[in-house]
Amino acid sequence: MSIKSKLVIGVFWSAIEKYSSTAVALIVSAVLARLVSPEEFGIVSLASVMIAFFSIFTSMGIVPAIIQRNDLTSKNLDSIFTYTIILGTIVALLFFSCSWFIASFYNNVKLIYVCQLLSLNLFLSSINLVPNALMLKNQRFKLIAIRTLVIQIVGCSLAIWAAYTGWGVYALLVSPLLSLLLMLVFNLYNYPRAIDWTFDKEPLKRIFSYSAYQFLFEMVNYFSRNLDKLIIGRSLNMSALGYYDKSYRLMLMPLQQITSVISPVLQPVLSSLQGQKREMGEKYNKLIIFIGHISFPLAVFLYFSAFELINIVFGNNWNPSVPAFKILALSLPLQMILSTSGSIFQASNTTNLMFFVGIRNTISTVFCLIIAVSLFSSIEAVAWSWVISLTINFIMSYHTMYHKVFESSLKSMVLQFRMPLLSAIIMISLLLLQEILLPVDNIYLSFAVKCFVAMISMAILLFALMRFSVTNIIKSLRS
């Protein structure tokens, strides 16, 4: 089967997985937002950020290393599996022990019990690393899609039940814990592993040269991605963090529907082109223009529909999230494209470059965030700092990738943005006219009108593209 066929099939099943599970998650999130307070969402958000840091030490870049290496035997995989169990146990106990310090630092006693429960999440996710990597390595995308959807429905259903019966903040922990447990059982059933009592270190050494830079990148990228939430939780309050996190997650939802479908497929498929840099660059350019055609107009639509979306999905008690959501929506196109860059560094065996790019990006993000919090102390200021730093990071990251990985000019990438930008400009113009000439008070009707205007703007662009293509064909025939 060709690279293109593998990529298309992988993306198809990955899309089935992500879109179906997201539809379920969105419904559940809408229900939970009306049953659980912003403060309790803020507590779980902060605990999740903390656990993400500890997760770096359990993952250690193992999954992409297993996908990339083709010389690992069954015994080698058992050895790596054994070490993930040991490491997961140690890290889970360490996080459990840190729960009192975390709660004291953020002056919230509920964090003790939330962090202690989530320490089980660390243990389960660590054991799941090897069997999940084998699922991806063997490109079992259809099976992954079915697995994820079924588990998502079960976990989310129980989370709603827990919220209705008064579990409060703990209702938000039901789905992540149960989902990980069911996923582990499913993965081990399909790719069973045994404990290697000889504790062979050789397989770890073999993947270390690859996974070490992956691990270091994840470490620096953690601060780049999560420092905003850590600072809001400490400098402002849990309610502010809840509002910010809700706006951030809602903005990320469309991003994840594109990149989380493509990224898991990119490395397993493009790793076969490790020595063909130009060809890899050409295929990536086609991917960028595809993402650009979706992300640029989508960002405009989200910006203009922020009030309606927040109210429809979460309810009017989440209105303080609207300004931050509008600001964060501006970053969507660059985030969508940038989130696929890691797979390219991995597929091209340049995780060392990914690490150095990550350090540079983290410094930029931290610098902008410190200025925002020091001078303004609001979630809107934090959102603006995120957008500005992301723009800087995008330019620097792709300058490095195109010159060092693809050995080509960044100009070939920039040219891909012409039509997506035109699409965004058309949509901005039409939505501004709608707000001025045809304002609507009812949020549901207003959202419907904006959806209709967005579809008109896309139709105009498609008509222009088709006409341009037909004109070129006619000129070619005449010549």
Side-chain angles (χ1 to χ4, degrees):
M1 189 181 293
S2 68
I3 293 293
K4 182 180 179 181
S5 298
K6 289 181 179 179
L7 193 59
V8 169
I9 292 171
V11 168
F12 172 78
W13 283 111
S14 189
I16 295 294
E17 172 200 353
K18 297 300 178 183
Y19 296 155
S20 55
S21 61
T22 297
V24 175
L26 185 61
I27 294 169
V28 172
S29 182
V31 174
L32 292 178
R34 289 162 171 82
L35 299 172
V36 182
S37 70
E39 180 184 1
E40 290 173 323
F41 269 102
I43 291 169
V44 174
S45 172
L46 185 61
S48 300
V49 169
M50 291 292 181
I51 204 171
F53 177 73
F54 283 82
S55 295
I56 298 170
F57 296 94
T58 60
S59 64
M60 296 286 288
I62 288 172
V63 172
I66 291 175
I67 293 173
Q68 196 73 9
R69 296 298 298 259
N70 295 317
D71 57 348
L72 295 173
T73 66
S74 180
K75 189 177 187 305
N76 294 154
L77 292 169
D78 287 341
S79 298
I80 297 170
F81 178 68
T82 303
Y83 280 105
T84 61
I85 295 175
I86 297 170
L87 196 58
T89 303
I90 294 171
V91 175
L93 290 173
L94 180 61
F95 184 68
F96 186 97
S97 304
C98 290
S99 60
W100 288 278
F101 170 75
I102 294 169
S104 175
F105 185 79
Y106 286 97
N107 195 29
N108 193 302
V109 70
K110 286 185 179 180
L111 275 168
I112 296 175
Y113 311 110
V114 170
C115 289
Q116 288 177 352
L117 282 170
L118 284 176
S119 63
L120 181 60
N121 185 299
L122 276 171
F123 177 70
L124 294 173
S125 62
S126 179
I127 301 175
N128 198 33
L129 287 172
V130 174
N132 198 55
L134 292 173
M135 291 277 284
L136 290 168
K137 185 181 182 69
N138 290 282
Q139 301 178 23
R140 302 291 299 276
F141 302 119
K142 179 179 179 180
L143 190 61
I144 291 171
I146 297 170
R147 174 204 70 184
T148 304
L149 177 59
V150 172
I151 291 175
Q152 183 89 349
I153 291 172
V154 173
C156 290
S157 299
L158 288 175
I160 292 176
W161 170 82
Y164 267 116
T165 53
W167 286 31
V169 67
Y170 302 107
L172 302 176
L173 307 180
V174 171
S175 183
L177 287 171
L178 182 62
S179 296
L180 261 177
L181 179 61
L182 294 176
M183 191 176 297
L184 175 62
V185 172
F186 183 89
N187 288 349
L188 282 175
Y189 175 79
N190 285 277
Y191 289 93
R193 301 260 50 97
I195 295 177
D196 179 15
W197 296 105
T198 63
F199 301 106
D200 186 10
K201 297 179 182 177
E202 193 273 333
L204 288 177
K205 293 178 182 178
R206 200 185 308 172
I207 67 171
F208 183 75
S209 59
Y210 182 91
S211 65
Y213 281 111
Q214 176 73 29
F215 164 71
L216 292 172
F217 168 76
E218 289 175 1
M219 177 73 74
V220 296
N221 192 52
Y222 166 83
F223 291 102
S224 177
R225 289 284 179 181
N226 296 295
L227 195 59
D228 50 351
K229 302 175 189 67
L230 293 172
I231 289 178
I232 290 173
R234 173 67 176 176
S235 302
L236 300 177
N237 53 61
M238 290 299 165
S239 293
L241 177 57
Y243 290 127
Y244 179 84
D245 188 59
K246 262 305 185 223
S247 62
Y248 188 81
R249 287 180 184 274
L250 186 60
M251 180 275 300
L252 276 184
M253 196 164 285
L255 180 151
Q256 292 169 338
Q257 303 327 298
I258 304 299
T259 57
S260 60
V261 166
I262 296 171
S263 295
V265 180
L266 274 181
Q267 192 205 351
V269 174
L270 292 185
S271 58
S272 60
L273 297 175
Q274 292 177 41
Q276 304 171 51
K277 296 181 178 181
R278 293 276 182 177
E279 187 176 350
M280 188 182 291
E282 289 171 4
K283 292 186 181 300
Y284 190 58
N285 277 341
K286 293 177 181 178
L287 177 64
I288 284 175
I289 194 167
F290 169 74
I291 295 175
H293 276 306
I294 296 172
S295 61
F296 278 87
L298 182 58
V300 174
F301 174 74
L302 292 178
Y303 180 88
F304 281 92
S305 306
F307 179 79
E308 291 85 353
L309 277 170
I310 294 291
N311 276 266
I312 291 171
V313 178
F314 301 129
N316 56 16
N317 57 319
W318 290 91
N319 276 339
S321 300
V322 173
F325 178 78
K326 294 181 75 171
I327 297 166
L328 290 169
L330 299 175
S331 69
L332 189 63
L334 299 188
Q335 281 210 73
M336 276 193 172
I337 296 169
L338 189 59
S339 62
T340 63
S341 62
S343 298
I344 299 301
F345 284 118
Q346 291 166 353
S348 60
N349 268 330
T350 54
T351 50
N352 57 332
L353 275 179
M354 184 170 68
F355 166 60
F356 293 119
V357 166
I359 290 179
R360 196 171 55 191
N361 291 353
T362 300
I363 292 171
S364 167
T365 302
V366 171
F367 179 74
C368 292
L369 186 58
I370 289 173
I371 292 175
V373 174
S374 301
L375 297 179
F376 303 103
S377 296
S378 68
I379 60 173
E380 291 80 15
V382 172
W384 274 119
S385 75
W386 173 251
V387 173
I388 293 169
S389 62
L390 180 75
T391 305
I392 296 169
N393 295 343
F394 181 88
I395 295 170
M396 294 192 298
S397 298
Y398 279 96
H399 180 271
T400 300
M401 179 187 291
Y402 274 75
H403 281 79
K404 300 290 186 180
V405 178
F406 299 145
E407 296 179 352
S408 62
S409 170
L410 187 61
K411 183 180 178 182
S412 62
M413 176 195 180
V414 175
L415 291 174
Q416 312 299 320
F417 295 144
R418 290 175 298 179
M419 295 310 296
L421 280 172
L422 176 61
S423 175
I425 292 169
I426 293 171
M427 191 173 290
I428 289 171
S429 304
L430 291 178
L431 286 171
L432 278 174
L433 284 173
Q434 180 267 317
E435 286 193 345
I436 295 169
L437 302 177
L438 189 63
V440 182
D441 292 331
N442 182 278
I443 58 170
Y444 295 98
L445 183 58
S446 176
F447 184 70
V449 169
K450 287 176 180 177
C451 287
F452 180 69
V453 172
M455 286 190 288
I456 289 175
S457 68
M458 293 301 294
I460 291 172
L461 179 69
L462 287 173
F463 177 76
L465 285 172
M466 289 175 64
R467 185 170 180 179
F468 177 75
S469 300
V470 170
T471 304
N472 281 347
I473 291 170
I474 293 172
K475 286 182 178 178
S476 300
L477 289 172
R478 284 178 177 174
S479 62

